[in-house]
Amino acid sequence: TLRMRVPALLLLLFCFRGSAGPSPHFLQQPEDLVVLLGEEARLRCALGAYWGLVQWTKSGLALGGQRDLPGWSRYWISGNAANGQHDLHIRPVELEDEASYECQATQAGLRSRPAQLHVLVPPEAPQVLGGPSVSLIAGVPVNLTCRSRGDARPTPELLWFRDGVRLDGTTFHQILLKEGTPGSVESTLTLTPSSHDDGATLVCRARSQALPAGRDTTITLNLQYPPEVTLSASPHTVQEGEKVTFLCQATAQPPVTGYRWAKGGSPVLGARGPRLEVVADASFLTEPVSCEVSNAVGSANRSTALEVLFGPILQAKPEPVSVDVGEDASFSCAWRGNPLPRVTWTRRGGAQVLGFGATLRLPSVGPEDAGDYVCRAEPGLSGQGGGAAEARLTVNAPPVVTALHSEPAFLRGPARLQCLVFASPAPDAVVWSWDEGFLEAGSRGRFLVETFPAPESRGGQGPGMISVLHISGTQESDFSRSFNCSARNRLGEGGARASLGRRDLLPTVRIMAGVAAATTTLLMVITGVALCCWRHGKASASFSEQKNLMRIPGSSDGCSSRGPEEEETGSREDRGPIVHTDHSDLVLEEEGTLETKDPANGYYKVRGVSVSLSLGEAPGGGLFLPPPSPIGPPGTPTFYDFNPHLGMVPPCRLYRTRAGYLTTPHPRAFTSYIKPTSFGPPDLAPGTPPFPYAVFPTPSHPRLQTHV
């Protein structure tokens, strides 16, 4: 058949050719090619032992056998045909040129393997939304979008760079057209800008195989940010009481609109602007100063604390402590200062340092440890601050009972016994006991118990109390027995014995009787002596034997020591009053006569003398004392007018010989006498008549006595 004949013929033809020479074959076949859009593409094809027609096909479509390929203006075949060169050229390459190409030797029936032509489209410069200057707010997260448009082949890769460094944190997505073909691609960069990003430059680069170097688009960040604050203090380390200046500096976009100052969170009233001046104290160490700056975007705050040097300040006082005997005790106190204060512990009234620091520990305390403990801090470098605080340690122990002194009592009279009790904790009871009974409170028969708080307490031994046992109507047995005062608390019991002293009534009566008897005897003796002296003086007094008495002429004495006969005789004689004196101007002669150096006509001169008469008892009984009658103006010597009394005849008075003073016990009987410089008339006030002794009436017989 025909089908069987064709292969046979071909086999014969092949055999014939093989015997005639080499058969046609490809020396070079076209390969896949990638070219950029607009560039030239060259597909190579070389044949050996073939001089026939060669043509190229595009996706199965023959382009023609001529070298210039008419109808394909951008296509042509080049090379030496005699040498078998048949290269296909395409220039400029367009997207439609992307196809599968074959080189065919039609007369030899040869076809090359298909070569794929890929046309690459380089990406265009990407576009950043909001560029080329993007306004951002510092601290606010933002997404920056970079988009690549056009028919770039392959799809470009979008990258972000800053200062040549690729940025991470980007997301990539592609937008497809309705037909499913790629449209555009976008890359989103998420960042949170800061004020340091103001003016920064970012680059979005579109890169692909068609353009490995890529194409860049640059944007500039324009940041708006709240103020950035810097706060400083000058000086930063100060002594308490010194001045400090705070300076608040800020950079902001847009500019600063206001400042606000605060200390420890509380606004500083009246503070405006970027500068603040204060006087430092201890509070600035723990309460920092802050400055808040604002603009249209927001605000920022900065604070700083000063290094203030100040003396110790007590923050926590030690608390009183109460422990049982044998337990440990501890005190704590807190002082604040800069630098830290040195804290010592002592006992009140003592100089020994018991410990250092904020805590004092006393192990296994006893009653002797009870008392007040002092926590002391020395003043700081400035000499300010410091001081002391104290707390009491109370050691709980059995009561301490002391019997107090009690006054002795009379038999069948009231009595009282007392005891002093110190105890911590307070005693449950204080009991008085004796032979036949006991009593805690209230009354029982003749006994009554009362309890009072003690006026003072012993340091650390708890409050004191006084218990009093009253006894009504004491008996003999009360003075011989012992009374026991005891107290108890939860830690034990203490007690003391007291006894009642006795006071006898008989010795007291005897003493009082003896004093009364002695007083009576003394009065009787004084009275007897006085009477004896009076009688003796009356019997021995006479005008002739009184050597130290002078008679003033013109007067008579109604008192005499003579017998009845001499008395009668003497009553008829004109005798003057007798004056007793120790005056040195009066000279007593050996014969017993009295002479004066200045017999001034009966006048007796006395200057500044207080005179009292020795008149004794008046005729009506009682003491007769004439009142003083000054003669002359004030400042002149005082004289006494005796006329109202000269008509009375006083009884005789006892004059002690040369005694110079009255013997009457009345105090007005004693006078003073000033010796005159000369004898003469008395210094009388103008218009006063002379004052001679002769003017005294005879019957009065007064006696004037002066004491020099």
Side-chain angles (χ1 to χ4, degrees), residues 231 246-248 259-262 267-268 271 273-276 289-291:
L231 181 60
F246 292 91
L247 183 61
C248 186
Y259 294 85
R260 191 180 71 154
W261 292 90
V268 179
R275 186 183 297 271
L276 175 65
V289 173
S290 61
C291 173

Side-chain angles (χ1 to χ4, degrees), residues 56-71:
W56 285 86
T57 61
K58 176 184 178 182
S59 299
L61 177 62
L63 299 179
Q66 300 179 8
R67 306 288 289 183
D68 57 355
L69 299 178

Side-chain angles (χ1 to χ4, degrees), residues 240-505:
E240 188 175 19
E242 294 182 352
K243 285 187 176 181
V244 180
T245 300
F246 292 91
L247 183 61
C248 186
Q249 297 175 317
T251 57
Q253 182 64 32
V256 173
T257 58
Y259 294 85
R260 191 180 71 154
W261 292 90
K263 175 179 173 287
S266 300
V268 179
L269 300 179
R272 298 289 186 271
R275 186 183 297 271
L276 175 65
E277 291 186 356
V278 297
V279 176
D281 57 30
S283 63
F284 283 88
L285 189 64
T286 56
E287 298 179 5
V289 173
S290 61
C291 173
E292 183 180 41
V293 186
S294 304
N295 68 352
V297 177
S299 62
N301 188 302
R302 290 293 181 272
S303 62
T304 183
L306 292 178
E307 185 71 14
V308 182
L309 305 178
F310 60 93
I313 299 175
L314 181 62
Q315 286 187 308
K317 295 182 179 179
E319 298 293 335
V321 177
S322 177
V323 296
D324 292 346
V325 173
E327 295 182 351
D328 296 342
S330 64
F331 294 95
S332 297
C333 70
W335 292 86
R336 183 168 64 95
N338 191 25
L340 291 176
R342 180 175 180 266
V343 180
T344 59
W345 290 88
T346 59
R347 193 166 180 175
R348 188 172 69 175
Q352 181 181 2
V353 177
L354 304 177
F356 299 92
T359 303
L360 172 66
R361 290 183 174 84
L362 302 174
S364 187
V365 298
E368 67 279 1
D369 297 319
D372 296 321
Y373 290 82
V374 181
C375 172
R376 178 175 287 102
E378 300 299 328
L381 299 177
S382 62
Q384 299 179 352
E390 64 180 40
R392 173 162 294 183
L393 172 62
T394 301
V395 179
N396 299 324
V400 177
V401 182
T402 304
L404 301 180
H405 173 72
S406 299
E407 293 294 334
F410 294 108
L411 180 63
R412 289 183 292 277
R416 183 176 65 176
L417 297 174
Q418 303 178 89
C419 69
L420 178 61
V421 180
F422 287 103
S424 177
D428 301 328
V430 178
V431 180
W432 285 91
S433 60
W434 55 95
D435 296 341
E436 69 273 9
F438 66 92
L439 185 60
E440 178 178 344
S443 61
R444 178 181 177 184
R446 299 182 297 111
F447 301 95
L448 171 67
V449 172
E450 292 181 312
T451 303
F452 306 95
E456 296 182 359
S457 62
R458 297 179 183 174
Q461 291 190 356
M465 63 177 62
I466 297 177
S467 181
V468 182
L469 174 64
H470 297 275
I471 305 175
S472 176
T474 58
Q475 299 176 359
E476 288 288 348
S477 59
D478 296 334
F479 299 101
S480 59
R481 64 168 54 131
S482 294
F483 294 87
N484 185 43
C485 177
S486 60
R488 65 176 181 274
N489 60 12
R490 63 179 178 83
L491 297 175
E493 183 175 356
R497 291 184 177 274
S499 59
L500 183 61
R502 182 168 181 172
R503 177 184 298 175
D504 292 331
L505 180 60

